[in-house]
PDB file of all heavy atoms in Angstrom:
ATOM      1  N   LEU A  44      89.770 155.560  92.706  1.00 82.00           N
ATOM      2  CA  LEU A  44      90.097 156.066  91.378  1.00 82.00           C
ATOM      3  C   LEU A  44      88.907 155.803  90.461  1.00 82.00           C
ATOM      4  O   LEU A  44      88.516 154.656  90.250  1.00 82.00           O
ATOM      5  CB  LEU A  44      91.345 155.380  90.824  1.00 82.00           C
ATOM      6  CG  LEU A  44      91.828 155.842  89.444  1.00 82.00           C
ATOM      7  CD1 LEU A  44      92.225 157.319  89.506  1.00 82.00           C
ATOM      8  CD2 LEU A  44      92.990 154.994  88.964  1.00 82.00           C
ATOM      9  N   LEU A  45      88.310 156.871  89.927  1.00 86.00           N
ATOM     10  CA  LEU A  45      87.169 156.770  89.037  1.00 86.00           C
ATOM     11  C   LEU A  45      87.530 157.335  87.670  1.00 86.00           C
ATOM     12  O   LEU A  45      88.502 158.073  87.523  1.00 86.00           O
ATOM     13  CB  LEU A  45      85.963 157.533  89.616  1.00 86.00           C
ATOM     14  CG  LEU A  45      85.499 157.108  91.014  1.00 86.00           C
ATOM     15  CD1 LEU A  45      84.335 157.994  91.472  1.00 86.00           C
ATOM     16  CD2 LEU A  45      85.104 155.646  91.043  1.00 86.00           C
ATOM     17  N   VAL A  46      86.729 156.956  86.684  1.00 87.00           N
ATOM     18  CA  VAL A  46      86.936 157.415  85.310  1.00 87.00           C
ATOM     19  C   VAL A  46      85.880 158.466  84.997  1.00 87.00           C
ATOM     20  O   VAL A  46      84.684 158.262  85.239  1.00 87.00           O
ATOM     21  CB  VAL A  46      86.842 156.250  84.312  1.00 87.00           C
ATOM     22  CG1 VAL A  46      86.971 156.765  82.879  1.00 87.00           C
ATOM     23  CG2 VAL A  46      87.927 155.224  84.600  1.00 87.00           C
ATOM     24  N   LEU A  47      86.324 159.614  84.463  1.00 88.00           N
ATOM     25  CA  LEU A  47      85.405 160.673  84.063  1.00 88.00           C
ATOM     26  C   LEU A  47      84.958 160.427  82.629  1.00 88.00           C
ATOM     27  O   LEU A  47      85.767 160.315  81.709  1.00 88.00           O
ATOM     28  CB  LEU A  47      86.081 162.038  84.176  1.00 88.00           C
ATOM     29  CG  LEU A  47      85.214 163.263  83.847  1.00 88.00           C
ATOM     30  CD1 LEU A  47      84.056 163.368  84.837  1.00 88.00           C
ATOM     31  CD2 LEU A  47      86.058 164.527  83.856  1.00 88.00           C
ATOM     32  N   ALA A  48      83.653 160.305  82.437  1.00 87.00           N
ATOM     33  CA  ALA A  48      83.092 160.025  81.115  1.00 87.00           C
ATOM     34  C   ALA A  48      83.298 161.217  80.185  1.00 87.00           C
ATOM     35  O   ALA A  48      83.554 162.344  80.635  1.00 87.00           O
ATOM     36  CB  ALA A  48      81.607 159.699  81.244  1.00 87.00           C
ATOM     37  N   PRO A  49      83.179 161.000  78.871  1.00 87.00           N
ATOM     38  CA  PRO A  49      83.381 162.102  77.906  1.00 87.00           C
ATOM     39  C   PRO A  49      82.448 163.284  78.109  1.00 87.00           C
ATOM     40  O   PRO A  49      82.754 164.390  77.649  1.00 87.00           O
ATOM     41  CB  PRO A  49      83.130 161.422  76.556  1.00 87.00           C
ATOM     42  CG  PRO A  49      83.468 159.991  76.788  1.00 87.00           C
ATOM     43  CD  PRO A  49      83.028 159.705  78.190  1.00 87.00           C
ATOM     44  N   ASP A  50      81.300 163.077  78.796  1.00 89.00           N
ATOM     45  CA  ASP A  50      80.392 164.202  78.988  1.00 89.00           C
ATOM     46  C   ASP A  50      80.908 165.189  80.023  1.00 89.00           C
ATOM     47  O   ASP A  50      80.332 166.269  80.227  1.00 89.00           O
ATOM     48  CB  ASP A  50      78.996 163.710  79.379  1.00 89.00           C
ATOM     49  CG  ASP A  50      78.994 162.909  80.690  1.00 89.00           C
ATOM     50  OD1 ASP A  50      80.031 162.900  81.388  1.00 89.00           O
ATOM     51  OD2 ASP A  50      77.965 162.294  81.002  1.00 89.00           O
ATOM     52  N   GLY A  51      82.008 164.822  80.715  1.00 88.00           N
ATOM     53  CA  GLY A  51      82.599 165.716  81.689  1.00 88.00           C
ATOM     54  C   GLY A  51      81.873 165.772  83.014  1.00 88.00           C
ATOM     55  O   GLY A  51      82.254 166.534  83.904  1.00 88.00           O
ATOM     56  N   LYS A  52      80.824 164.952  83.207  1.00 87.00           N
ATOM     57  CA  LYS A  52      80.035 164.997  84.439  1.00 87.00           C
ATOM     58  C   LYS A  52      79.909 163.632  85.113  1.00 87.00           C
ATOM     59  O   LYS A  52      79.867 163.553  86.335  1.00 87.00           O
ATOM     60  CB  LYS A  52      78.631 165.540  84.140  1.00 87.00           C
ATOM     61  CG  LYS A  52      78.598 166.952  83.576  1.00 87.00           C
ATOM     62  CD  LYS A  52      77.178 167.414  83.334  1.00 87.00           C
ATOM     63  CE  LYS A  52      76.495 166.581  82.267  1.00 87.00           C
ATOM     64  NZ  LYS A  52      75.113 167.074  81.971  1.00 87.00           N
ATOM     65  N   THR A  53      79.839 162.571  84.306  1.00 90.00           N
ATOM     66  CA  THR A  53      79.571 161.239  84.848  1.00 90.00           C
ATOM     67  C   THR A  53      80.854 160.579  85.335  1.00 90.00           C
ATOM     68  O   THR A  53      81.857 160.548  84.604  1.00 90.00           O
ATOM     69  CB  THR A  53      78.910 160.338  83.794  1.00 90.00           C
ATOM     70  OG1 THR A  53      77.754 160.990  83.282  1.00 90.00           O
ATOM     71  CG2 THR A  53      78.522 159.001  84.394  1.00 90.00           C
ATOM     72  N   LEU A  54      80.816 160.040  86.565  1.00 87.00           N
ATOM     73  CA  LEU A  54      81.938 159.292  87.120  1.00 87.00           C
ATOM     74  C   LEU A  54      81.644 157.802  87.009  1.00 87.00           C
ATOM     75  O   LEU A  54      80.576 157.332  87.430  1.00 87.00           O
ATOM     76  CB  LEU A  54      82.171 159.679  88.584  1.00 87.00           C
ATOM     77  CG  LEU A  54      82.656 161.109  88.830  1.00 87.00           C
ATOM     78  CD1 LEU A  54      82.760 161.390  90.324  1.00 87.00           C
ATOM     79  CD2 LEU A  54      84.007 161.335  88.164  1.00 87.00           C
ATOM     80  N   ILE A  55      82.586 157.062  86.449  1.00 88.00           N
ATOM     81  CA  ILE A  55      82.418 155.621  86.230  1.00 88.00           C
ATOM     82  C   ILE A  55      83.311 154.873  87.202  1.00 88.00           C
ATOM     83  O   ILE A  55      84.519 155.107  87.260  1.00 88.00           O
ATOM     84  CB  ILE A  55      82.780 155.242  84.783  1.00 88.00           C
ATOM     85  CG1 ILE A  55      81.936 156.057  83.801  1.00 88.00           C
ATOM     86  CG2 ILE A  55      82.561 153.756  84.546  1.00 88.00           C
ATOM     87  CD1 ILE A  55      82.310 155.844  82.347  1.00 88.00           C
ATOM     88  N   ASP A  56      82.710 153.959  87.956  1.00 87.00           N
ATOM     89  CA  ASP A  56      83.450 153.194  88.964  1.00 87.00           C
ATOM     90  C   ASP A  56      84.283 152.108  88.296  1.00 87.00           C
ATOM     91  O   ASP A  56      84.121 151.796  87.110  1.00 87.00           O
ATOM     92  CB  ASP A  56      82.475 152.585  89.966  1.00 87.00           C
ATOM     93  CG  ASP A  56      83.146 152.234  91.284  1.00 87.00           C
ATOM     94  OD1 ASP A  56      84.387 152.319  91.351  1.00 87.00           O
ATOM     95  OD2 ASP A  56      82.438 151.869  92.241  1.00 87.00           O
ATOM     96  N   LYS A  57      85.169 151.500  89.088  1.00 81.00           N
ATOM     97  CA  LYS A  57      86.016 150.413  88.597  1.00 81.00           C
ATOM     98  C   LYS A  57      85.148 149.266  88.085  1.00 81.00           C
ATOM     99  O   LYS A  57      84.196 148.861  88.740  1.00 81.00           O
ATOM    100  CB  LYS A  57      86.928 149.918  89.721  1.00 81.00           C
ATOM    101  CG  LYS A  57      87.870 148.812  89.308  1.00 81.00           C
ATOM    102  CD  LYS A  57      88.756 148.394  90.471  1.00 81.00           C
ATOM    103  CE  LYS A  57      89.705 147.281  90.049  1.00 81.00           C
ATOM    104  NZ  LYS A  57      90.563 146.839  91.182  1.00 81.00           N
ATOM    105  N   GLY A  59      83.417 149.517  85.349  1.00 81.00           N
ATOM    106  CA  GLY A  59      82.331 150.093  84.563  1.00 81.00           C
ATOM    107  C   GLY A  59      82.659 150.311  83.107  1.00 81.00           C
ATOM    108  O   GLY A  59      81.810 150.742  82.330  1.00 81.00           O
ATOM    109  N   THR A  60      83.900 150.063  82.721  1.00 79.00           N
ATOM    110  CA  THR A  60      84.297 150.191  81.319  1.00 79.00           C
ATOM    111  C   THR A  60      84.881 148.874  80.832  1.00 79.00           C
ATOM    112  O   THR A  60      85.363 148.057  81.619  1.00 79.00           O
ATOM    113  CB  THR A  60      85.347 151.301  81.132  1.00 79.00           C
ATOM    114  OG1 THR A  60      86.508 150.983  81.917  1.00 79.00           O
ATOM    115  CG2 THR A  60      84.800 152.651  81.583  1.00 79.00           C
TER     116      THR A  60
END
Side-chain angles (χ1 to χ4, degrees):
L44 182 63
L45 303 178
V46 176
L47 183 63
D50 60 10
K52 299 181 296 183
T53 306
L54 293 176
I55 304 175
D56 201 352
K57 181 179 180 181
T60 60

